[in-house]
Amino acid sequence: MRFDRSDAVFCHVTSLPGAYGIGDLGEGAREFLSFLGDAGVDHWQICPIGPTISAAGESPYQSPSAFAGNPLFVDPDGLVDDGWLDEDDLEPVPDFPTDRVDYDAVREYKLPLLRTAFERFEERASEDDRAAVAEFREHEPWLADYALFRALSDARPEDVWTDWPAPLRTRDPEALADAREEHAREVRFREFVQWTFDRQWRDLRAVAAEEGVSIVGDVPIYVALDSADVWASPEAFRLDEGNRPTAVAGVPPNAGDSGQRWGNPLYDWEHLADTGYDWWLDRFRRLFELADVARLDHFLGFVNYWAIPADSDDPADGEWRDGPGRDLFETVERELGEAPFIAEDLGFEEPAMDELMAEFGFPGMRVPQYADWCAEGNEYQPIHYGEGVVGYTSTHDTDTWAGYFEDLPAAQRDCFRYNVGSDPDEPSEWAIIDAVWGSDAILAVTTLQDLLGLGSEARFNEPGTLDGNWEWRVARDALDDEIADRLWELSGKHVR
């Protein structure tokens, strides 16, 4: 087991309080970490922190890069402290909503500030500053391709890269050299933003360490088709001679549904094995520069995966193929050591997946919203969580606990109260937090929404929908001492 008994709170960066329309790496994040420190919480869990795009509904799981940071997370006050912005540059601050993110308004405000900061850097930067950017560029081999990809995407906003002219789509060396020269300033801008993000993130991670808080990051198994990842490393994916996918990811039909076609390109696992899984090792190295623990989304895909022909819209046309299994994780352990992974294993019964998790000591996930509270021995009831699992009250993809409980049939509510031994007058969200914290799960996790007792209006994401997701934000004054003290008491009772 790679974990000590511990607890965590999930809150994505976008949801943090702050003055600039979206949670970022500034004062609001530091206040949140102080709240976690006061509550004695061991971990802060987040979604992927890469850039998001409006065409993908701002989903952090459909990012144009698995390596880059989100420019919208850069703290403008930090740019003032660095000397790249003046206080006057921040004014006027729009009247942003405080309970949700208006992504278009945030981009309209923040992106010009980032460009102004870059122009000041170009004019004023010292030799040490320029050397620091050069060192960052040297240390992060993904950066050059990412910056060029974003420059080319900006120049052709109507196209995904698979629609670019063949020389750029297939990465002809002469075409790439010409593009780097043509878009040199935009490439430098993108590199500057990533350098700035990286510095601010590392400063924030140091604050977390001072508060005794580790960061749990997230690794989507698949990357977006329209990403620097696929364009820059086509050999890592199953693409045709024109660098277009031959098959895409999804899940097969089950009883009562027609399956799902996700559309992400699939990995060429045979090629990756031949290269010693270099692409994945680079991805994990970058992740562990930014986080202490990683949740592996859709862990089943490392064992076997559903491959749908790229020219078919019907998930039923797919077939199961073998993933890399233990070979990948043996390579990871050999190269990186015993990486602390959490496996997202929900919704699938696959003995080979369970065996792989057990072999490498990866805990799986249990979410009580999937429980039948009146059924004896149900695995999603916290009383039945074993040490080899991570227990959640809710996740970023489920309703909040209060929203779930409000819709729960009366008989199930009664069984829940009996099951966890709670008083009917006790708020159900604290009853489930107590139950998860009191279980044998190696890691107990709740969401900030559940700590605050919020209903479905605060749901973070509803899978299968594009509108209204990834928007919820917490008010600054909601992070109060009473909640921190109550969580501290629970942790003292069950965890510490």
Side-chain angles (χ1 to χ4, degrees):
M1 190 68 64
R2 293 172 171 79
F3 298 90
D4 295 324
R5 175 87 168 121
S6 53
D7 57 4
V9 172
F10 168 85
C11 178
H12 191 39
V13 177
T14 56
S15 297
L16 296 172
Y20 303 113
I22 190 171
D24 60 29
L25 309 184
E27 181 183 0
R30 293 189 290 271
E31 290 181 351
F32 176 69
L33 287 169
S34 177
F35 167 80
L36 295 184
D38 291 344
V41 171
D42 300 302
H43 306 286
W44 170 27
Q45 182 172 344
I46 55 178
C47 289
I49 55 176
T52 62
I53 58 174
S54 58
E58 308 297 348
S59 171
Y61 295 89
Q62 291 289 338
S63 175
S65 175
F67 295 82
N70 193 334
L72 301 183
F73 293 171
V74 172
D75 171 31
D77 292 324
L79 294 172
V80 173
D81 293 340
D82 289 337
W84 311 131
L85 290 179
D86 300 326
E87 289 282 358
D88 291 346
D89 293 324
L90 306 186
E91 300 295 338
V93 179
D95 186 20
F96 291 115
T98 58
D99 60 344
R100 66 179 184 87
V101 181
D102 181 339
Y103 284 93
D104 290 340
V106 170
R107 283 193 177 90
E108 187 176 346
Y109 174 72
K110 274 199 166 184
L111 295 185
L113 290 179
L114 292 173
R115 292 195 178 274
T116 298
F118 168 67
E119 290 165 4
R120 300 264 176 78
F121 177 89
E122 293 267 285
E123 295 167 1
R124 306 176 183 174
S126 67
E127 288 302 315
D128 287 345
D129 292 327
R130 298 181 194 279
V133 173
E135 182 179 357
F136 178 66
R137 187 185 299 115
E138 180 71 20
H139 184 263
E140 303 294 346
W142 55 270
L143 181 62
D145 278 322
Y146 166 77
L148 180 58
F149 176 84
R150 295 308 299 269
L152 291 170
S153 295
D154 279 358
R156 305 178 64 90
E158 71 282 0
D159 293 334
V160 299
W161 72 264
T162 52
D163 295 326
W164 292 352
L168 290 176
R169 187 178 71 249
T170 59
R171 298 181 59 79
D172 175 76
E174 185 175 343
L176 293 182
D178 290 344
R180 289 188 190 282
E181 182 176 352
E182 179 182 356
H183 300 286
R185 187 174 182 84
E186 182 68 15
V187 166
R188 294 198 306 274
F189 166 68
R190 296 289 178 174
E191 292 174 342
F192 166 80
V193 171
Q194 289 303 309
W195 172 69
T196 302
F197 172 93
D198 198 76
R199 292 168 66 236
Q200 290 193 357
W201 182 266
R202 289 173 190 272
D203 288 346
L204 188 64
R205 193 175 178 190
V207 173
E210 290 173 2
E211 296 288 353
V213 176
S214 298
I215 296 175
V216 180
D218 202 316
V219 182
I221 183 172
Y222 296 118
V223 298
L225 171 61
D226 194 21
S227 67
D229 310 305
V230 185
W231 177 71
S233 301
E235 67 283 352
F237 300 86
R238 291 198 173 276
L239 308 180
D240 62 21
E241 292 182 356
N243 280 4
R244 295 185 174 95
T246 59
V248 297
V251 290
N254 290 306
D257 67 55
S258 56
Q260 298 176 34
R261 183 187 187 277
W262 298 336
N264 306 78
L266 297 170
Y267 298 103
D268 186 338
W269 286 115
E270 292 80 6
H271 172 83
L272 288 166
D274 289 342
T275 63
Y277 300 105
D278 282 351
W279 188 90
W280 274 96
L281 290 174
D282 288 344
R283 188 179 185 188
F284 286 143
R285 285 191 188 98
R286 176 59 176 165
L287 175 76
F288 288 118
E289 289 177 355
L290 304 173
D292 304 284
V293 180
R295 189 190 80 114
L296 299 177
D297 192 46
H298 192 63
F299 188 78
L300 176 66
F302 293 108
V303 178
N304 51 56
Y305 59 94
W306 191 247
I308 303 167
D311 58 1
S312 173
D313 292 327
D314 186 356
D317 290 338
E319 64 178 7
W320 286 110
R321 297 179 183 174
D322 292 336
R326 69 194 309 271
D327 190 43
L328 170 63
F329 294 105
E330 284 181 340
T331 303
V332 171
E333 290 208 338
R334 186 168 58 250
E335 297 295 327
L336 304 182
E338 290 191 351
F341 290 128
I342 296 167
E344 190 279 294
D345 61 338
L346 298 170
F348 294 97
E349 295 184 9
E350 172 55 66
M353 177 179 67
D354 297 337
E355 292 170 7
L356 183 66
M357 291 165 57
E359 178 178 357
F360 288 91
F362 301 159
M365 292 174 55
R366 296 293 181 273
V367 182
Q369 293 190 29
Y370 302 146
D372 180 342
W373 296 105
C374 299
E376 186 173 346
N378 185 275
E379 66 175 336
Y380 291 107
Q381 298 169 1
I383 195 172
H384 299 299
Y385 294 172
E387 290 186 357
V389 304
V390 178
Y392 287 79
T393 61
S394 304
T395 74
H396 66 273
D397 277 340
T398 70
D399 202 347
T400 66
W401 176 266
Y404 155 83
F405 196 74
E406 182 178 355
D407 292 336
L408 203 60
Q412 285 286 316
R413 289 192 189 191
D414 291 341
C415 288
F416 164 77
R417 295 290 190 188
Y418 178 81
N419 189 287
V420 303
S422 71
D423 189 308
D425 295 329
E426 179 184 18
S428 67
E429 61 270 15
W430 281 102
I432 192 60
I433 292 171
D434 194 355
V436 171
W437 258 241
S439 73
D440 289 335
I442 194 68
L443 177 58
V445 187
T446 190
T447 65
L448 189 54
Q449 291 97 317
D450 288 350
L451 280 179
L452 300 177
L454 300 178
S456 299
E457 75 283 354
R459 181 169 183 163
F460 199 44
N461 177 53
E462 186 170 354
T465 66
L466 277 179
D467 296 330
N469 296 318
W470 320 109
E471 293 182 358
W472 178 80
R473 295 185 70 199
V474 65
R476 189 182 299 270
D477 59 5
L479 304 175
D480 63 30
D481 293 341
E482 182 178 347
I483 294 174
D485 290 345
R486 186 164 187 180
L487 196 52
W488 172 273
E489 292 173 3
L490 269 185
S491 296
K493 177 181 176 183
H494 295 304
V495 178
R496 289 194 298 276

